[in-house]
Structures are given as structure tokens and as C-alpha cells.
Amino acid sequence: MEFKELPPVKEQIMKCVRCGKCRSVCPVFAEIRNETAAPRGHVFMVQMLRDGIVEPDEAVAERLTSCLLCENCSVNCPSGIDIHELNAAARSYIYEKNPSLAKELVFDSLWTRPGLLRTSTKFLWGAQKTGLQSLARAIGLTKILPGDLPRAERMLTDVPVRSGRSMISEVNRARGERKYRVGYFLGCATDMFYPSVARATVDILTWHGCEVIVPKDIKCCGQPHIANGKMETARSLAAHNVKIFNAYDLDYIVTDCASCSAALSHKNMEFLLGGLNIEDQAKTFSEKVLDLTLFLTEVLDIEVPNPEMARKVKVTWHDPCHLANAQGVKQAPRELLKRIPGVEFIEMANANSCCGGSGTYCLTHHDLSMKILDKKMDRAMETGANKLVTCCPSCMMQLKFGARRHHWNAEVVHIVDLLSPFYKVLPKKAASQ
Amino acid sequence: MEIKDIKKQLVKMLGKDKVLTDELDLMYYSYDSSFLTKLEPGKPAAVVLPTSTEEVQKVVRFAYENDIAIVPRGAGTGETGGCIAFKGGIVLDLSTWDEIVEIDAKNMQVIVRPGVIHARLNEALAKYNLFFPPDPGSSQMCTVGGMVANNASGLRAVKYGATEQYILGLEVVLPDGNVMVTGGMNARVIKNVSGLNLTKLMVGSEGVLGIITQIRLRCWPKPKARGIAMAVYDNLDDAPETVLEVYQAGILPSGIEILDGSAIMAVNQFKPQINLPDAEAILLFEVDGNPPGVDYDGKVIAEIAGKRARSVEWATDPKRMAELWEGRSITATAAARVRADGSRIFAGEDISIPLSKIADVLRAIRALGDKYGIKVVNYGHIGDGNVHTAPVINPENPEEVEKVLQLVHDIHLLAIEMQGSTTGEHGVGAVRRQYAELEHGLAVEYMRAVKLAFDPKGIMNPEKLF
Ligand SMILES: Cc1cc2nc3c(=O)[nH]c(=O)nc-3n(C[C@H](O)[C@H](O)[C@H](O)COP(=O)(O)OP(=O)(O)OC[C@H]3O[C@@H](n4cnc5c(N)ncnc54)[C@H](O)[C@@H]3O)c2cc1C
Ligand code: SF4
Ligand code: SF4
């Protein structure tokens, strides 16, 4: 579709009143502090692009990519503009016109092929012992990371030897009577960096009576591609995932990664696949998608078993942008935390402000990302919690780095990590009666 | 002087981090919230981001010596093109200079630099049980410097008035680069009638006399209790009557706001949880003070409103009050939601009219909307006669643009004809200066003379205000 004809570009630019409300909620603007980083500035620049007043070149891309795509502006825009979608569409347009600017290797070849990605992660694991430089060059990371690689290296989390995929089967039977047949969307980052989360998610779901299907050929949800202007690749990934999940007769499709659930949500599917011949299939798919926290609280309405396993723990919650802003899911994780025996929940100020991680942003815009992270950590530390909980691997990596950076001895965990000990006890007898 | 040399000199003076010179970056400074700048953006030759009086002085002196226009800018939420360098020149973006210099709680005063955001100031003051009462709908984004320059007010002007009532003194960099201190800037008093009142002259001067670099503000004790009565009307004409009767009953609410049927729809679409009732209009009466007084006022208002309103909701729950107040604050922009392929525009949006004529004017505005075939959303500070009109058009359709410009002109003339004013709080800037003679007659000559005395070279925010 022509850039000008894309729904947000065609219908929403003219809705901007330039009231500036979005300036007051943008974490990047709060750091850069001039109009070039204001969300309304991005809307304005996309309009300039649309009208041919500026060229789709590197200079414009540089301004637009200062945005984290955290969506805080969009949810707060009284006019109803999806500012981040305009921005993403413009990035894609610029990269389309300037293939040399695009981050080809990593996003096109690596992230679309899970096998290759997994192999390189293993390679990465080895490389971490020796230094990242040569590896990064080999897999093309140098193309997206300007300059300072040692810094990037510090950011990367330890890569486990086993992937999540290697620990779970394609079909996982429900414990006791089957209530639902659930597709588990195993995201790339969970698979590679947090395999124990994947394992725990499947255990929890099966415990509560779900048969869990993990299709073999799941590909990336497309979120990194959208952020990096690779809209066509994001589209083909989405279409692929729609097809492979629709091949099963599923009641729900669940994921423990907030970025994945946002990418698979109805709104995003419409953004990517609306108007194409796969639109109806995408709708069937996305109507079944739920973030794990919502599924556990609202559909399964779980009671956490084995309360005797409880250990007193003070926790605070970080809202991933892709959950709170993109999907408006704020209550479900808090409700879930309340149901975990032994948990004392302390709300941090501005829990839904971005951590500055945003996929590769923490690498490509390191200094800015650190400033945003520091604010987040200050607010998290104020709570006196000993665990900082969230449900997005990208946030976890960034927050873990933040905790190290601030010498904070609290642990950064996925909400599933808090649940997991309760499910490691005896097999559930009652359910099979 | 050539533009490239101007840029070079500025970078030399302030360093490259505080100067924007790239043509692409400068484009972002070609707009504020006005509709005018959508039609006629104005790109500056350079933007500077000073954070000290000395830096401002350096830039202004340089501009003075080289006859370059200077345009101060806060957050760019003004609706008049006031902060736009339409003919080039240097824009001073003061929004990054946001220091709260001193909170003198004992003397109930605070000193701030111009870039402090209104809402942040009140958060800081709340710790001392104080507040700066003017409450613009743009509180989360506008700067105190911009408020002083525009003499902004807002939702609580009924009881607390406008910014001017709270300015004890100012530090101003004049067009020749000298620093003038006015009123009680260097004193700590609340009352002060010494000398000609240059503070009042500067407040509302919209950046045409000098650059405000420091502000001493008076604060008030934060009221202990609040309550909001929402009266729901099936007939919009009944609303103004209630307002008058409430005053006649000896009640002075802190704010009285109106939303018409379309404004209600817009708010509900943006924030369904606010759940405003479907009606031709609602009135929001906010009362504050001590708990018994608030209860008493609430009861009297409910009684009076009940005579004409379909229903009255009395809220003291902080969550509900916050929702209702937020609902009103966001109307300004949310108005765009009433038309899928349209946007509200900020033009003709701020007339002020006598309380006794509100119903007539609202009717007349509706008729004008019908005449031009343009959807008009009405909301605003009805308690002080300040009606915000939001025409909703497709701003990219030239025919609609032409019609709306006529509509807006008629609205401004209507205000003058009704013994009102073209602007109650947003100011004149570039968009309303054409009405200066009509509104002020001979006084405009004296305004020009004052401007000349301060700014003989005419470099300070030229072609604004009159
Ligand atoms: C959604 C919305 C709601 C609004 N609601 C209200 C309301 O309820 N009440 C109200 O009064 N206004 C309201 N406004 C208008 C606007 O927010 C105010 O006029 C505000 O005071 C402007 O502040 P700013 O920092 O954005 O100033 P800008 O728009 O940047 O500048 C405004 C004017 O002040 C001058 N200026 C700015 N800073 C200085 C300085 N330091 N020294 C000298 N001159 C300076 C500029 O040159 C310009 O002429 C609203 C605007 C929006 C978009
Ligand atoms: S909040 Fe929305 S309408 Fe207002 S300036 Fe930002 S994008 Fe434009
Ligand atoms: S998406 Fe986030 S970072 Fe980007 S402009 Fe909006 S608020 Fe700012």
C-alpha cells in the first residue's frame, strides 16, 4: 500500500490539534526537551513526509527513531491519534526508499528464521566469554549498533545454554480434565533468554486444565521489525503465524511476553494485515489472543495451589508499554500478584512509564535509554521491594541492567517466576477426580 | 547578517547543545496550537535554548545589535501563533529552563524560572499545602512563563482570577539586553504599590516588550475540601440561568464549566470511564473551602440547579472529581472526536461575553455554525463568560477552511457586538491583532507608544498583539 494511503497516515495526521498533551507524557521528550523529540513533532514530520516537503532520508529517520514506540502518547492523545503507528509507518517508508539504511541482516534474515537465531544465540553465549566484537560483526549487529560495542555487550543478558523450545513439547496435555485447548506463542526472547519462563508458563497452564499446543514453526511476532521500519517483513511474519496457529483448533492463544501479545493483538493485526486477503484469518487468530496475565485471572480465574510454598516477598510491578499502553492491560497483573500467597505488593510511582529498553533501542540510543532507565530505577527502588516484577523479556533485560547499574540487590523477575514454585510440587490429584 | 553567520555566532555564544541550526530541526518550531500555523507555518532562522539570564542577555544583545527579530517561546501551547517567528528571527525556547528557585512557604511565595510546567509547580507547592490557583486546561504542558506572558487563567478563574493577580514581581530581559526588575521581585512582600505598575504591564504582554526570565509568584493556602456538582440539562438555554441564580444566592464556586452535547460525546469517546450523561448540556460547579462550607454550597447549588436540570450529581469522592475535572480539561482536544474525518481547530475559540448574554451568544454561535454548515462544539468557563468554541472541520479541505475562516471572523465580531471581547484568556498573538483597533480604538496608539519605548528597533516578537 502507498505510504499516503496507509490508514493512519491518510486519516489521522489531520486530527492533530498540536495541543501538546503528548509532550507531557513522552519519556524521550522529557530527556531531549526540544520540539524535535515531541510526539506532536513526529506527527508533524510524518505530515511533512506525506506532503513531500521533506525527503524520506536518513536525517528524517534519525529524528523519528528517537521515539521508543512506547505508545504513551497515543493512549493519552485526546484526538485519538495512533502517533506510534504513524511513526512506524514513516520509518518503514524511509527504509523502503533507502534500502541501504535498513538493518537488513539482523532483522530480515536472522529474526525471521528461528533456527538461525537460536544458533547465533548459542554462539553469542560462547562469545560473551570472549568478547562480543567479532561475533557482532559476524551476525550483522554492527549494522544496527553504531560504535560502542563494549557498551552494548554490558547490556546483553547471559544467554542460557538451552532454549525454551528444547524444554517443551509441541503438545502438552492438560492435568486432569481438559478445559481449554490453548496455543502458546513462544516469543523469541523468552525462548532464547528466559527458557525457564517458557517452561513455567506451560506448567501453569497445564496444571489449570489447559492442553497447551506450541506449534513447531512459530516465527518472531514482528515487533522488532515494526520498530525498525521493516514493515513488509513484519507482515509476512504475521501472516505466517496466523496460518500456523489457525491450523489447530484452539480456544485461546496465550503468550507470556507483553510485546508478543501486543504484536498479535487485534489492533496490530489490523494495522499490519488490514485490507489484505488474509484479513479474515488474521481476525479469527487475533480474537483468540490474550496476554497470560489476563488469561490466568479472567478466563481461568486461578487460585494458586500449594499455598504452603509461600515465602514472604515484597514486590513492585513494572508495566510493560506493550501491555499497559498497547493493550490497556493494567489490572490483570496486579490482580495476579495479589493472588500469589506471601506476596506483598507495593505500587511504584509511574509504574507505566517506559524503562527505555524497547527492544534494540537500549543499544541504538544507549545514553538516552540509560537516562530513562535511571528514572525508572529511582522509582522502583523507592518502594523498598525486593523483587521487581514484569512480564516482558525486553523490559527484564533492561531492568536487570538497571538493577546492576544502581547496585540494587532486588531481583528482576517475570511474573511467572513468582508463580512457578507453587507448581513444582506434587502432581495435582484433585483435578483428575 | 546572513543566516549562516547568525547560526555560527549563536553557537559560539551558547555552545552547540543549546542552539538548533539544522533546517530540519527548525521546522519543528514553525507551529504552536493555533490553526493559523497549520495554514501558515513560520520557520525561525535559529532556535536557542538558554538556561540563564546571562545567556538570554547575550542572545538578545546580539539580536539588538544586528536587527534580528527575537521570539520567546514556552511550550508552544498558545493558540494564537504568539511564539512563532513568522518572518524568521531567533526563537528562544525557554521551556528547558525549569528551575523552581525558591519556595518561601512562610511568606507564601515562590520564585521560578520561566520554563516550569504549571502542573509541576503545583505538585511542588502541594508539599507545603500551597497552590498557584490559575488552572489552565493545558496545566500539564504549558510553562509558567507562557502563562505570565499570556495572562492565562482557566477553570478556576471564577473565584481565583487570572495569572496577573499572583505576580509579585518579574525579572525581564529588555530588547536592548538590559535586565529590568519589576515590582516586588527583590522584596518578599505581598502588598506593594510603590511605583508605576510595570509588573502588570508585562503580564499579558505576549513577549512583545521583553523576555521574562524570573517570576515571583504569590501562592494561596490549599483548600481543605472540594466538591463538584454536575447538573444535566435537556435544554442548553437553561444552563446560563442556573449560573446567574447561583451567584444571586451568594455562592462563589471556584469554577463553573459548561459542556454542550457534542463536547459530552467527545469526552465519553476518549474516556468512556468518565461516563458523562447524554444531554444537551452539563454544568460542572466546583466548590472548595472548608468541609462544612463545601457541603452547604453543594446543597444550595443542587437545589437551584434542580429547578431546571434533569438531574444533579454531587461528587466529593476524589476519584470521581478527578474524572469530571479531567473530562472538562481534555474537551479542548477531544472535540476532534465528534467527526471521524475531522479535527477541531483553535480559531475563534476564546471569546468572552457578558454573563447576562451567554444564552443569546450560544444560540447565535449555533446559528452561525448552521449558516456555514460547520459543526461547532461549545464548552468553556461559563462562570466568567469565557466561551470556547471548537469548529470541527477537515482542515485539509480548502472549501471547509475558507468557510471556517469566515465563521471565526463572524464569531469575533459577534463578541465585540455583544459588549464582549475577542479573547478571554488565550490572547491575541498573530491571529486576533486585526481586531485591535475595533476593540480598543485610540488606546492602540498608546499601546504602540509603550512598545516603542521598550523596543525602539521593533525586534521583540514583531507583528503580534496589535
Ligand atoms: C488544550 C489546551 C487547553 C488550554 N487551556 C487554557 C486555559 O484553560 N486557560 C488559558 O488561559 N489558556 C489555555 N490554553 C492556552 C495556552 O496553554 C496558554 O496560553 C499558556 O499560558 C501558554 O503557555 P506556553 O508555555 O505554551 O506558551 P507559548 O505558547 O510558547 O507562548 C505564548 C506566548 O507567550 C510568549 N512567551 C512565552 N514565554 C515567554 C517568556 N518567558 N517571556 C516573554 N514571553 C513569553 C510567547 O512569545 C507567546 O506570545 C490552552 C491551550 C491548549 C492547547
Ligand atoms: S496529544 Fe494528539 S492532538 Fe495533541 S498534539 Fe499530541 S498528537 Fe496532536
Ligand atoms: S511512542 Fe513513546 S517515545 Fe515515542 S513519541 Fe510516543 S511517548 Fe514518546
Side-chain angles (χ1 to χ4, degrees):
Chain A
M1 205 185 278
E2 274 262 315
F3 173 60
K4 284 183 187 177
E5 293 303 314
L6 289 172
V9 179
K10 192 168 174 203
E11 293 153 18
Q12 294 192 358
I13 288 177
M14 58 102 167
K15 282 193 155 292
C16 180
V17 186
R18 299 189 184 146
C19 68
K21 173 81 187 165
C22 49
R23 273 173 59 115
S24 66
V25 298
C26 172
V28 174
F29 178 76
E31 300 303 332
I32 296 186
R33 308 285 304 273
N34 71 54
E35 196 66 34
T36 67
R40 70 173 172 181
H42 296 318
V43 178
F44 167 77
M45 199 38 69
V46 180
Q47 180 182 351
M48 296 298 104
L49 259 184
R50 180 200 67 178
D51 297 347
I53 293 168
V54 299
E55 291 299 314
D57 59 16
E58 191 169 4
V60 176
E62 202 184 297
R63 301 321 184 264
L64 292 175
T65 51
S66 74
C67 158
L68 289 154
L69 300 179
C70 75
E71 306 191 22
N72 210 24
C73 50
S74 304
V75 292
N76 281 290
C77 168
S79 248
I81 303 171
D82 292 312
I83 304 162
H84 66 287
E85 281 187 8
L86 280 175
N87 190 320
R91 290 180 195 192
S92 173
Y93 171 59
I94 296 172
Y95 291 138
E96 208 176 280
K97 297 279 170 201
N98 303 274
S100 64
L101 285 179
K103 290 129 189 188
E104 293 297 335
L105 186 58
V106 171
F107 291 107
D108 256 0
S109 48
L110 218 52
W111 236 289
T112 52
R113 280 184 265 163
L116 193 57
L117 187 55
R118 240 172 261 135
T119 315
S120 41
T121 323
K122 281 197 185 136
F123 185 28
L124 195 64
W125 180 79
Q128 275 191 342
K129 314 285 172 205
T130 55
L132 187 69
Q133 307 264 3
S134 56
L135 163 90
R137 230 164 270 134
I139 65 168
L141 268 173
T142 43
K143 281 201 175 178
I144 58 163
L145 309 180
D148 200 351
L149 279 169
R151 202 165 54 180
E153 189 183 8
R154 286 203 303 273
M155 296 286 310
L156 283 168
T157 200
D158 278 343
V159 182
V161 191
R162 289 188 68 187
S163 69
R165 166 62 71 181
S166 70
M167 299 184 199
I168 43 185
S169 327
E170 184 184 349
V171 178
N172 303 271
R173 289 182 47 204
R175 295 255 188 112
E177 193 187 328
R178 186 180 92 181
K179 288 186 196 149
Y180 300 112
R181 197 159 193 239
V182 174
Y184 170 43
F185 189 93
L186 172 60
C188 314
T190 309
D191 182 24
M192 293 184 300
F193 299 117
Y194 301 107
S196 60
V197 168
R199 175 73 255 172
T201 295
V202 173
D203 288 346
I204 294 165
L205 290 171
T206 50
W207 178 289
H208 289 289
C210 299
E211 180 187 3
V212 180
I213 310 288
V214 195
K216 272 196 180 131
D217 192 22
I218 302 175
K219 285 192 177 164
C220 175
C221 67
Q223 200 70 266
H225 306 82
I226 297 173
N228 288 282
K230 304 293 300 177
M231 210 62 84
E232 269 318 310
T233 319
R235 252 180 220 121
S236 70
L237 290 169
H240 168 86
N241 287 327
V242 164
K243 278 191 194 133
I244 63 158
F245 275 89
N246 281 358
Y248 296 88
D249 182 20
L250 300 170
D251 300 312
Y252 291 95
I253 297 163
V254 171
T255 174
D256 47 24
C257 167
S259 294
C260 294
S261 55
L264 307 175
S265 68
H266 184 57
K267 188 159 172 271
N268 196 55
M269 281 291 168
E270 222 177 10
F271 173 60
L272 287 176
L273 303 177
L276 304 180
N277 57 11
I278 195 173
E279 190 176 7
D280 289 346
Q281 289 174 55
K283 190 162 177 260
T284 310
F285 168 89
S286 62
E287 276 171 355
K288 294 179 183 169
V289 172
L290 275 185
D291 187 82
L292 180 72
T293 57
L294 262 183
F295 185 66
L296 293 180
T297 51
E298 292 192 1
V299 179
L300 293 178
D301 193 11
I302 65 162
E303 188 180 322
V304 178
N306 304 312
E308 68 283 0
M309 296 300 294
R311 281 183 40 223
K312 282 214 171 309
V313 55
K314 264 192 197 176
V315 310
T316 190
W317 172 256
H318 161 71
D319 286 302
C321 300
H322 282 141
L323 191 67
N325 290 338
Q327 304 177 73
V329 177
K330 292 186 193 149
Q331 265 322 306
R334 289 169 173 78
E335 174 59 33
L336 189 55
L337 284 173
K338 275 191 209 147
R339 293 187 192 189
I340 305 178
V343 161
E344 180 192 345
F345 173 62
I346 308 155
E347 186 77 51
M348 75 166 102
N350 291 341
N352 74 335
S353 70
C354 183
C355 64
S358 189
T360 48
Y361 191 91
C362 57
L363 302 175
T364 54
H365 295 74
H366 187 77
D367 292 345
L368 204 50
S369 166
M370 288 304 108
K371 286 185 185 157
I372 296 167
L373 174 63
D374 289 345
K375 281 189 182 155
K376 179 97 238 175
M377 296 316 297
D378 285 347
R379 291 188 289 251
M381 290 188 296
E382 268 168 22
T383 62
N386 40 31
K387 285 199 201 286
L388 170 54
V389 191
T390 191
C391 66
C392 165
S394 163
C395 299
M396 278 176 71
M397 267 185 234
Q398 173 86 341
L399 296 171
K400 274 177 190 260
F401 184 71
R404 284 207 303 279
R405 188 176 153 89
H406 287 260
H407 309 289
W408 188 34
N409 59 5
E411 205 186 344
V412 178
V413 296
H414 193 287
I415 195 163
V416 154
D417 291 325
L418 282 187
L419 283 163
S420 136
F422 297 91
Y423 294 84
K424 285 197 174 135
V425 211
L426 307 167
K428 189 174 156 198
K429 288 182 191 137
S432 53
Q433 286 165 8
Chain B
M1 194 180 240
E2 284 198 39
I3 290 187
K4 71 172 185 348
D5 296 322
I6 297 179
K7 291 177 179 177
K8 227 188 251 164
Q9 290 299 321
L10 290 171
V11 172
K12 218 166 147 192
M13 271 183 262
L14 301 194
K16 65 176 176 13
D17 288 350
K18 287 188 174 178
V19 186
L20 301 179
T21 53
D22 192 291
E23 287 302 304
L24 197 60
D25 289 339
L26 298 174
M27 290 177 78
Y28 290 88
Y29 282 81
S30 63
Y31 59 79
D32 62 0
S33 305
S34 65
F35 184 51
L36 175 70
T37 55
K38 276 201 162 181
L39 303 176
E40 293 170 35
K43 192 171 72 158
V47 174
V48 292
L49 300 122
T51 51
S52 73
T53 308
E54 293 71 35
E55 285 180 347
V56 173
Q57 277 181 285
K58 273 191 211 166
V59 175
V60 174
R61 268 201 197 110
F62 167 73
Y64 184 77
E65 280 158 16
N66 295 287
D67 289 316
I68 303 165
I70 284 274
V71 181
R73 178 182 174 106
T77 67
E79 283 139 1
T80 68
C83 63
I84 302 302
F86 287 103
K87 300 232 160 105
I90 303 166
V91 163
L92 276 92
D93 179 343
L94 296 149
S95 66
T96 64
W97 193 11
D98 62 350
E99 191 189 347
I100 297 177
V101 181
E102 182 192 346
I103 298 180
D104 180 358
K106 277 193 184 147
N107 288 308
M108 308 214 338
Q109 304 178 7
V110 56
I111 303 175
V112 297
R113 294 298 183 177
V116 174
I117 300 289
H118 175 262
R120 298 292 88 74
L121 173 62
N122 270 336
E123 276 163 25
L125 290 173
K127 293 180 192 136
Y128 301 86
N129 251 331
L130 293 171
F131 81 129
F132 167 48
D135 182 31
S138 48
S139 162
Q140 293 291 338
M141 52 266 195
C142 74
T143 66
V144 177
M147 288 183 70
V148 177
N150 273 359
N151 192 11
S153 45
L155 282 71
R156 298 198 171 104
V158 169
K159 178 168 171 184
Y160 295 104
T163 302
E164 60 182 333
Q165 277 147 264
Y166 301 87
I167 311 300
L168 297 170
L170 296 169
E171 176 189 277
V172 182
V173 173
L174 297 169
D176 59 5
N178 285 325
V179 178
M180 171 178 83
V181 164
T182 73
M185 184 67 237
N186 291 338
R188 287 183 188 269
V189 291
I190 289 174
K191 290 181 84 173
N192 184 349
V193 293
S194 169
L196 265 185
N197 197 337
L198 294 179
T199 305
K200 285 247 156 142
L201 178 64
M202 295 307 302
V203 178
S205 63
E206 300 193 9
V208 308
L209 301 180
I211 292 164
I212 297 157
T213 48
Q214 187 157 247
I215 306 151
R216 184 186 285 275
L217 286 165
R218 180 183 185 178
C219 319
W220 279 26
K222 240 179 117 133
K224 287 249 176 291
R226 275 174 75 214
I228 296 179
M230 174 170 71
V232 184
Y233 294 87
D234 288 327
N235 184 354
L236 186 137
D237 284 353
D238 288 339
E241 282 299 313
T242 307
V243 174
L244 295 178
E245 235 183 276
V246 166
Y247 287 142
Q248 281 154 9
I251 307 282
L252 182 62
S254 42
I256 313 178
E257 295 291 315
I258 185 165
L259 277 80
D260 76 2
S262 325
I264 294 170
M265 208 170 85
V267 172
N268 283 341
Q269 273 190 31
F270 177 38
K271 298 248 161 153
Q273 66 274 26
I274 297 179
N275 196 14
L276 296 177
D278 185 17
E280 214 177 77
I282 57 168
L283 286 181
L284 297 172
F285 292 86
E286 186 200 57
V287 286
D288 66 4
N290 289 316
V294 166
D295 279 349
Y296 174 84
D297 287 355
K299 270 193 203 108
V300 176
I301 291 169
E303 226 168 76
I304 294 171
K307 290 189 211 163
R308 297 179 185 84
R310 183 214 306 162
S311 63
V312 183
E313 175 190 331
W314 171 239
T316 49
D317 165 41
K319 184 166 168 270
R320 181 62 180 155
M321 285 196 294
E323 276 176 359
L324 291 172
W325 215 235
E326 188 198 3
R328 164 53 196 92
S329 291
I330 57 172
T331 317
T333 308
R337 301 217 177 207
V338 302
R339 180 174 156 187
D341 64 341
S343 171
R344 78 121 334 148
I345 57 162
F346 282 116
E349 80 294 343
D350 187 39
I351 60 169
S352 182
I353 44 181
L355 293 179
S356 56
K357 292 182 179 164
I358 292 173
D360 297 339
V361 171
L362 288 177
R363 254 194 309 271
I365 292 174
R366 262 191 290 181
L368 284 171
D370 291 344
K371 176 177 157 194
Y372 291 107
I374 289 172
K375 172 97 197 147
V376 177
V377 177
N378 281 306
Y379 62 96
H381 319 305
I382 191 174
D384 45 27
N386 195 183
V387 176
H388 292 325
T389 318
V392 182
I393 61 162
N394 177 345
E396 298 187 342
N397 176 334
E399 269 172 42
E400 288 191 47
V401 170
E402 195 182 317
K403 274 196 216 154
V404 86
L405 292 177
Q406 286 169 10
L407 166 74
V408 163
H409 183 57
D410 286 359
I411 290 174
H412 284 137
L413 295 181
L414 171 74
I416 297 171
E417 187 191 321
M418 291 284 196
Q419 292 176 290
S421 161
T422 56
T423 174
E425 57 183 18
H426 295 168
V428 175
V431 302
R432 285 183 267 267
R433 58 193 285 259
Q434 58 173 311
Y435 306 107
E437 313 262 349
L438 199 57
E439 283 200 82
H440 305 293
L442 180 65
V444 177
E445 289 307 313
Y446 286 86
M447 292 184 199
R448 291 198 179 114
V450 171
K451 162 90 174 157
L452 201 63
F454 275 84
D455 181 23
K457 286 189 159 190
I459 59 164
M460 194 56 75
N461 208 0
E463 302 190 14
K464 308 280 165 65
L465 201 48
F466 40 76

